[in-house]
Amino acid sequence: GPPLLVSLSLLLYSPNRFTLSSFVETPSSKMSSNKIRKAGGAEPDEFETSVAQELVNLEMTSTDLKSALSDLYITAAKEVDCAGGRKAIILYVPFKLLKSFNKIHQRLVRELEKKYSGKQVIIIAQRTILGKSFARSHKTQGVRPRSRTLTAVQDAILDDIVYPTEITGKRTRCKVDGKRILKVYLDSKDQANVETRTETFADVYNKLTNKQISFHFA
């Protein structure tokens, strides 16, 4: 097999003998680096590496997720603080892989939430917002695609946050202090499963868009 990579800088001396405390690149650690691919080849942080490793573990141990996870990877992972001392984990995935993640969404989220002690896991596609001043190159003539406007991206983020529950309606309300709040109506057939998650949904949406939102069932 290939030679093991050992960091010699970790030679430790003990009174009776030399010990080698080494980082060995195992198949598992190599696989975890394939599970996260950050923009521009940036190094993942410690938390992102731990999430990537959990995805590897699930791929190796979960028979129903193994084949589905083999070609999937994330682009970032963040832990965010929510109201009431709750925490949520946001996994960013490539837009082109969102449909594949959606196919295993409920099983994957359930398994990851077990691993992370009940912190809510939310999967969001990485999208690029193109501003109003967007100018296409001479190769790609045409207007700014609607799917890349700020409003469209924020709508898509909302769809991702509540997935697989469907949004049945939206209304914007002005509060007494003049601030706007978006009232989002979710499909009532999912109320029993989703009701305990909506506060975290609202907190995550607010952190990502700076917009206030409340969830209702209809």
Side-chain angles (χ1 to χ4, degrees):
L4 295 174
L5 301 179
V6 175
S7 170
L8 294 176
S9 63
L10 294 175
L11 270 173
L12 301 178
Y13 175 72
S14 67
N16 302 321
R17 65 190 185 280
F18 283 102
T19 59
L20 180 62
S21 171
S22 60
F23 171 77
V24 177
E25 188 176 19
T26 61
S28 170
S29 64
K30 198 164 185 181
M31 282 172 72
S32 72
S33 65
N34 293 335
K35 286 293 169 203
I36 178 155
R37 300 181 198 173
K38 292 180 72 71
E43 283 291 310
D45 63 27
E46 195 177 339
F47 180 69
E48 289 174 325
T49 303
S50 83
V51 172
Q53 187 58 52
E54 288 301 344
L55 292 173
V56 171
N57 295 345
L58 284 173
E59 189 180 324
M60 294 169 77
T61 59
S62 171
T63 47
D64 61 338
L65 288 172
K66 187 180 180 72
S67 59
L69 276 174
S70 61
D71 296 321
L72 299 183
Y73 59 90
I74 62 173
T75 56
K78 287 187 172 63
E79 191 174 45
V80 295
D81 294 319
C82 300
R86 290 170 290 114
K87 286 182 185 287
I89 294 169
I90 303 172
L91 303 188
Y92 289 96
V93 306
F95 180 74
K96 65 181 181 181
L97 295 181
L98 182 63
K99 282 186 178 173
S100 300
F101 270 99
N102 282 350
K103 284 176 187 169
I104 57 167
H105 185 281
Q106 285 172 294
R107 284 172 293 161
L108 179 60
V109 165
R110 188 170 61 241
E111 291 300 325
L112 287 173
E113 287 182 348
K114 279 189 217 165
K115 301 284 183 190
Y116 287 99
S117 316
K119 291 172 188 168
Q120 272 182 233
V121 173
I122 291 170
I123 297 172
I124 294 176
Q126 195 93 49
R127 296 179 178 88
T128 308
I129 296 167
L130 300 176
K132 288 178 183 173
S133 60
F134 166 69
R136 280 180 175 268
S137 71
H138 62 279
K139 289 181 187 171
T140 51
Q141 297 301 320
V143 296
R144 175 177 57 147
R146 160 122 186 34
S147 64
R148 298 292 189 86
T149 63
L150 177 65
T151 306
V153 169
Q154 290 182 341
D155 284 348
I157 287 170
L158 183 55
D159 288 336
D160 288 353
I161 287 173
V162 303
Y163 188 86
T165 300
E166 283 189 27
I167 293 171
T168 57
K170 292 178 193 169
R171 288 201 189 104
T172 302
R173 287 276 179 268
C174 279
K175 298 203 296 189
V176 181
D177 59 7
K179 286 183 181 171
R180 295 173 146 225
I181 185 163
L182 181 65
K183 296 180 84 168
V184 175
Y185 295 88
L186 301 176
D187 194 329
S188 57
K189 72 178 170 56
D190 291 335
Q191 185 165 354
N193 298 325
V194 177
E195 200 160 26
T196 57
R197 304 174 72 85
T198 55
E199 278 187 44
T200 301
F201 288 168
D203 286 341
V204 168
Y205 185 76
N206 178 254
K207 283 182 184 294
L208 295 178
T209 66
N210 209 25
K211 288 189 170 182
Q212 281 194 297
I213 194 169
S214 65
F215 289 99
H216 311 269
F217 293 90

